[in-house]
């Protein structure tokens, strides 16, 4: 079977290694394992025997033991792009086309950014502009930790209580 990029889903090394399509999953129960099983994959008892390894928590992955033919559902240093604060920092430092799509953003654990947010809110208030602000916890995903602030005057007084967040408009 060919994948969406024109090559097979299984690498050549995996096909040569594995007589059966095998997977290892933690935690044991889950929809991913059921989906693979329904497609003829067999669950392996040990990580070293599995072609695909699926982990709920990446901290459980023994990165040094992964063989070239194995596939894992996480990247070793994925927090460099998955953490909103790291991503914001990388985008700010990069001179690329992507910057024009980056909303005005403030990492509130940085004093300079807190001052920048205060200045932006004060300018909105002075111009009588009503702007929505989005506050995000940088290490959360799936919409968890997202708050919306419409009352700019209130947000201005609460900025110091949001030092672990990113503010965007």
């Amino acid at each position: 079977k060919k994948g969406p990029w024109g090559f097979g889903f299984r690498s050549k090394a995996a096909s040569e290694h594995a007589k059966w399509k095998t997977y290892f999953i933690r935690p044991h129960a889950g929809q991913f394992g059921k989906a693979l099983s329904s497609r003829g994959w067999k669950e392996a008892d040990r990580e070293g025997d599995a072609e695909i390894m699926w982990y709920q928590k990446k901290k459980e992955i023994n990165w040094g033991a992964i063989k070239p033919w194995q596939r894992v559902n996480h990247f070793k240093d994925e927090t460099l792009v998955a953490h909103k604060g790291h991503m914001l920092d990388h985008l700010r430092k990069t001179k690329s086309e992507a910057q024009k799509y980056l909303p005005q953003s403030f990492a509130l654990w940085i004093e300079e950014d807190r001052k920048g947010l205060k200045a932006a809110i004060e300018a909105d208030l002075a111009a009588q502009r009503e702007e929505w602000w989005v506050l995000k916890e940088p290490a959360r995903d799936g919409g968890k930790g997202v708050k919306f602030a419409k009352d700019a005057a209130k947000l201005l007084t609460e900025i110091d209580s949001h030092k672990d967040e990113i503010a965007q408009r």
Side-chain angles (χ1 to χ4, degrees):
K1 222 177 191 183
K2 296 287 183 186
W5 301 279
F7 51 85
F9 285 111
R10 300 176 80 207
S11 68
K12 183 178 177 188
S15 297
E16 290 171 359
H17 170 79
K19 190 173 188 177
W20 302 98
K21 298 184 285 186
T22 56
Y23 69 92
F24 180 84
I25 189 167
R26 287 299 173 264
H28 190 64
Q31 295 300 314
F32 188 73
K34 289 177 188 174
L36 287 175
S37 293
S38 72
R39 290 168 174 80
W41 287 70
K42 306 290 182 206
E43 185 169 5
D45 294 324
R46 300 175 323 155
E47 294 165 289
D49 297 333
E51 179 181 337
I52 292 178
M53 296 183 293
W54 187 271
Y55 293 88
Q56 181 71 32
K57 297 178 181 177
K58 72 174 182 173
K59 65 182 178 183
E60 296 177 6
I61 301 170
N62 179 357
W63 292 104
I66 295 173
K67 298 170 183 82
W69 51 268
Q70 293 180 305
R71 299 296 174 252
V72 184
N73 66 312
H74 290 278
F75 297 104
K76 186 175 183 181
D77 294 319
E78 67 188 22
T79 57
L80 294 176
V81 292
H83 185 281
K84 294 171 192 71
H86 296 308
M87 178 62 86
L88 176 58
D89 186 49
H90 291 300
L91 287 172
R92 284 177 169 174
K93 290 176 181 175
T94 303
K95 301 294 182 224
S96 75
E97 195 67 14
Q99 275 193 326
K100 71 180 181 183
Y101 301 104
L102 180 66
Q104 187 177 20
S105 304
F106 302 92
L108 300 181
W109 54 90
I110 300 171
E111 180 64 31
E112 183 178 316
D113 278 19
R114 279 196 309 280
K115 289 178 182 176
L117 176 59
K118 287 176 184 178
I121 292 172
E122 287 168 351
D124 287 348
L125 291 171
Q128 297 182 344
R129 279 191 305 264
E130 291 187 18
E131 295 280 347
W132 279 96
W133 288 92
V134 181
L135 298 161
K136 301 175 181 180
E137 295 178 27
R140 310 260 333 248
D141 57 20
K144 297 178 209 119
V146 175
K147 297 175 230 130
F148 297 93
K150 177 77 170 172
D151 186 342
K154 182 179 178 191
L155 179 57
L156 188 60
T157 65
E158 296 176 349
I159 287 176
D160 288 336
S161 67
H162 294 283
K163 284 186 179 177
D164 297 338
E165 298 170 335
I166 291 174
Q168 294 179 317
R169 67 161 141 186

